[in-house]
């Protein structure tokens, strides 16, 4: 009897120890990590909205009155004047030709791949010191410009044809308002001009330089002409040509005219291309507003000390603003060093040190994000690239960390275009997902909203991890990850500021 009681007592202790050990083991295997909520329903509603959006010009155009910035040279006398423009996404301007959301996404990703290839080529040429005279010119039988007038690289520059965001500005006197592609990866401002040898369709009437009393063709001796990457001279008029990685190009006269910034004011004698032969993926916009770091960019021509933008979700149909000289990086913002590459001044490099997923640091060597001695590598911020590209090593580490913490989520199609990690959220209204954060040199970081790294690729509930690998040494932070955050380029202090929810 005593033996039976002892056996029963020992059995209880053994069972208790087993349960305690099992419970501890379960807790260790499911260590809590930081999560955030993804609103699946809201994201899918937007996929329907953007396909059916009314893109009539009247819904986006506003009547503006302008005030002239005083002084004989407003660029120099008023370089600190604040300027503000509305920003619109491409899909609120260009009517969708796609039968469903998936085909729209695939079209976006195809444009995106062309742009990234162009950016990588432009930087590679700069790093390798390839001169334009070493490259073959583009010959166009229908062009109104003799091929001997222009020497053009086959691939030279970022493929701005993707044109994901637009602002409306006025050109000429009196000002003719038009939509322009916003691009931090380009320096040359240009618009389509009459007479057209070959012009693509745009939302506004094509600009006629004869209608502007302030339009002036630049002579070949002008310093602006000498600053062009590709230029030529005919009848003492400066000619320009810009070619892009996807085969798009613009050719015409290089000139100056007055540029009007809504109700904020206008700047005289801004150098811009007046393109008479323009082909490619620019449909909808009248031209391109170059916000790069080169001498001929709009930011440099108006002597801006800072500029900022907030990119709204491309599927929302909403607008935000592009501001010059009105916002500097704030102490409470996430900040990062704004770096420059001595081999090329167009692009804005940022000091990125790594990522965390679910609050846990991802192991990636710092050298992966550094510009090397030759000028290769590094990380650029680009508003025209959609999906963030990371060196394959960094991408694999980030993706694997995310996949590890999402084993409870239903996986979707194995891969779609650029994306190799997708999920099926068709039966969910919201879902908890691991947080993803950027970490910058200097110690600051910013958490991304879930919708900035898990995006719908169809209207049926398939969401993909919105990063992609690249074999290039260059990494690019794209606009999907920038959406909803005001990005400030503090040029005077060489800082990038990132302010969440400041649209």
């Amino acid at each position: 009897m005593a033996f039976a009681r002892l056996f029963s007592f020992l059995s209880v202790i053994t069972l208790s120890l087993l349960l305690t050990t099992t419970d501890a083991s379960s807790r260790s295997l499911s260590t809590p990590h930081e999560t955030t909520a993804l609103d699946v329903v809201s994201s899918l509603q937007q996929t329907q909205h953007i396909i059916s959006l009314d893109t009539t010009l009247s819904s986006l155009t506003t009547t503006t009155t302008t005030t002239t910035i005083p002084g004989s040279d407003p660029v120099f006398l008023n370089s600190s004047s604040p300027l503000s423009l509305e920003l619109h996404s491409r899909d609120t301007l260009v009517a969708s030709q796609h039968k469903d959301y998936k085909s729209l996404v695939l079209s976006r990703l195809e444009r995106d791949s062309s742009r990234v290839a162009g950016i990588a080529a432009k930087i590679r040429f700069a790093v390798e010191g390839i001169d334009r005279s070493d490259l073959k010119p583009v010959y166009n039988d229908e062009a109104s410009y003799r091929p001997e007038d222009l020497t053009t690289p086959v691939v030279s520059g970022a493929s701005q044809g993707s044109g994901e965001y637009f602002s409306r500005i006025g050109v000429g006197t009196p000002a003719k308002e038009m939509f322009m592609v916003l691009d931090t990866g380009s320096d040359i401002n240009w618009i389509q001009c009459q007479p057209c040898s070959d012009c693509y369709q745009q939302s506004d009437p094509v600009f006629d330089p004869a209608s502007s009393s302030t339009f002036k063709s630049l002579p070949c001796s002008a310093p602006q002409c000498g600053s062009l990457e590709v230029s030529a001279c005919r009848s003492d008029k400066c000619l320009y040509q810009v070619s892009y990685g996807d085969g798009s190009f613009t050719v015409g006269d290089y000139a100056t005219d007055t540029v009007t910034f809504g109700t904020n004011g206008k700047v005289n004698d801004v150098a811009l291309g007046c393109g008479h032969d323009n082909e490619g993926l620019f449909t909808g916009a009248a031209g391109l507003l170059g916000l790069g770091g080169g001498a001929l960019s709009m930011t440099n021509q108006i002597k801006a000390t800072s500029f900022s933008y907030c990119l709204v979700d491309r599927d929302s149909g909403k607008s935000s603003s592009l501001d010059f000289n009105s916002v500097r990086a704030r102490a409470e913002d996430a900040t990062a060093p704004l770096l420059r590459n001595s081999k090329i001044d167009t692009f804005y490099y940022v000091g990125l040190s790594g990522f965390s997923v679910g609050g846990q640091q991802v192991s990636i060597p710092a050298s992966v994000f550094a510009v090397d001695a030759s000028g290769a590598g590094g990380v650029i911020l680009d508003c025209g690239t959609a999906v963030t590209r990371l060196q394959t090593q960094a991408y694999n580490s980030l993706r694997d960390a995310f996949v590890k913490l999402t084993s409870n989520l239903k996986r979707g199609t194995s891969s779609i275009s650029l994306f190799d990690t997708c999920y099926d959220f068709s039966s969910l209204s919201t879902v908890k997902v691991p947080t993803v954060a950027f970490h910058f040199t200097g110690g600051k970081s910013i958490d991304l909203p879930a919708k900035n790294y898990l995006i719908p690729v169809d209207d049926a509930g398939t969401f993909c991890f919105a990063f992609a690998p690249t074999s290039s040494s260059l990494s690019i932070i794209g606009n999907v990850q920038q959406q909803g955050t005001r990005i400030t380029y503090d040029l005077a202090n060489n800082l990038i500021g990132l302010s969440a929810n400041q649209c």
Side-chain angles (χ1 to χ4, degrees):
M1 188 73 175
F3 177 81
R5 284 199 301 271
L6 177 62
F7 179 82
S8 177
F9 176 73
L10 290 175
S11 296
V12 169
I13 291 175
T14 303
L15 181 59
S16 177
L17 286 171
L18 283 171
L19 288 173
T20 302
T21 303
T22 302
D23 185 55
S25 176
S26 297
R27 286 199 301 270
S28 67
L29 289 174
S30 58
T31 303
H33 58 268
E34 295 178 8
T35 62
T36 186
L38 174 69
D39 188 337
V40 176
V41 171
S42 176
S43 294
L44 293 179
Q45 285 174 343
Q46 287 190 1
T47 66
Q48 297 290 341
H49 171 74
I50 199 65
I51 289 293
S52 60
L53 186 68
D54 178 10
T55 58
T56 57
L57 186 62
S58 59
S59 67
L60 298 177
T61 305
T62 57
T63 302
T64 62
T65 57
T66 63
T67 55
T68 303
I69 298 175
S72 58
D73 196 341
V75 170
F76 289 99
L77 295 179
N78 295 275
S79 59
S80 62
S81 298
L83 301 170
S84 184
L85 297 168
E86 275 199 348
L87 272 183
H88 304 273
S89 73
R90 173 192 178 98
D91 296 306
T92 62
L93 176 61
V94 182
S96 176
Q97 303 298 314
H98 303 281
K99 65 180 191 288
D100 55 36
Y101 187 75
K102 185 174 183 177
S103 64
L104 171 61
V105 168
L106 293 176
S107 174
R108 286 174 174 173
L109 295 178
E110 184 178 1
R111 294 198 309 268
D112 204 43
S113 294
S114 294
R115 179 182 178 86
V116 169
I119 289 176
K122 183 169 184 174
I123 293 176
R124 187 177 72 251
F125 289 166
V127 167
E128 296 176 1
I130 297 176
D131 188 83
R132 60 181 180 232
S133 62
D134 298 330
L135 303 170
K136 296 179 181 180
V138 169
Y139 183 84
N140 181 357
D141 288 332
E142 298 180 359
S144 60
Y145 296 91
R146 299 191 304 273
E148 61 268 29
D149 286 340
L150 296 163
T151 302
T152 310
V154 174
V155 178
S156 69
S159 178
Q160 284 85 12
S162 55
E164 299 301 335
Y165 289 89
F166 297 79
S167 283
R168 193 161 179 79
I169 67 171
V171 177
T173 305
K176 307 294 186 192
E177 289 193 334
M178 58 192 75
F179 282 105
M180 303 273 282
V181 173
L182 165 70
D183 200 335
T184 53
S186 179
D187 296 323
I188 308 300
N189 310 292
W190 61 267
I191 56 174
Q192 294 198 114
C193 284
Q194 298 284 4
C196 279
S197 168
D198 192 352
C199 288
Y200 58 83
Q201 183 181 1
Q202 64 178 61
S203 299
D204 300 287
V206 175
F207 181 74
D208 183 357
S211 68
S212 173
S213 62
T214 48
F215 180 90
K216 292 173 286 191
S217 293
L218 283 167
C220 301
S221 58
Q224 297 99 319
C225 189
S227 296
L228 289 166
E229 183 176 321
V230 179
S231 65
C233 188
R234 190 171 68 183
S235 303
D236 197 34
K237 287 185 178 181
C238 181
L239 306 181
Y240 82 99
Q241 178 163 332
V242 182
S243 300
Y244 303 106
D246 63 347
S248 304
F249 64 86
T250 174
V251 185
D253 300 307
Y254 206 51
T256 62
D257 209 338
T258 298
V259 173
T260 303
F261 296 86
T263 59
N264 298 278
K266 56 187 179 182
V267 178
N268 297 325
D269 299 323
V270 173
L272 73 168
C274 188
H276 301 290
D277 188 356
N278 318 282
E279 296 182 15
L281 300 174
F282 307 106
T283 303
L288 187 140
L289 190 65
L291 299 178
L296 296 175
S297 71
M298 184 62 71
T299 46
N300 271 316
Q301 290 199 58
I302 67 174
K303 300 297 186 290
T305 57
S306 70
F307 71 95
S308 73
Y309 55 73
C310 194
L311 306 179
V312 296
D313 189 318
R314 288 183 300 177
D315 295 336
S316 70
K318 297 177 181 177
S319 66
S320 183
S321 67
L322 163 67
D323 300 318
F324 296 93
N325 300 322
S326 60
V327 180
R328 297 272 182 96
R330 306 174 304 174
E332 63 268 29
D333 294 340
T335 56
L338 170 56
L339 308 174
R340 300 301 180 128
N341 188 334
S342 62
K343 295 296 181 71
I344 185 167
D345 54 14
T346 299
F347 300 104
Y348 297 104
Y349 287 74
V350 62
L352 182 70
S353 60
F355 300 90
S356 60
V357 175
Q360 303 166 15
Q361 193 75 27
V362 178
S363 179
I364 302 173
S367 58
V368 169
F369 303 116
V371 178
D372 66 23
S374 72
V379 183
I380 66 170
L381 269 172
D382 183 44
C383 69
T385 297
V387 177
T388 290
R389 302 306 205 281
L390 300 172
Q391 276 195 42
T392 301
Q393 177 186 2
Y395 171 75
N396 288 344
S397 296
L398 177 64
R399 178 204 57 203
D400 292 349
F402 190 81
V403 168
K404 181 180 179 181
L405 297 181
T406 56
S407 58
N408 60 313
L409 300 180
K410 183 180 179 181
R411 293 294 292 268
T413 305
S414 57
S415 64
I416 296 177
S417 186
L418 304 176
F419 304 134
D420 62 13
T421 302
C422 299
Y423 299 87
D424 180 359
F425 295 155
S426 58
S427 62
L428 303 173
S429 57
T430 62
V431 59
K432 290 284 188 181
V433 297
T435 57
V436 173
F438 285 104
H439 293 261
F440 303 101
T441 55
K444 297 290 186 72
S445 64
I446 187 169
D447 288 330
L448 299 179
K451 65 180 181 179
N452 285 26
Y453 54 90
L454 281 169
I455 63 172
V457 294
D458 57 29
D459 54 13
T462 305
F463 284 69
C464 294
F465 190 55
F467 292 83
T470 175
S471 57
S472 167
S473 61
L474 178 74
S475 294
I476 305 173
I477 298 177
N479 61 46
V480 169
Q481 282 65 44
Q482 296 178 48
Q483 287 174 14
T485 299
R486 180 158 290 279
I487 310 292
T488 299
Y489 297 75
D490 189 342
L491 307 176
N493 297 300
N494 292 318
L495 278 176
I496 295 290
L498 302 98
S499 310
N501 304 312
Q502 293 294 314
C503 284

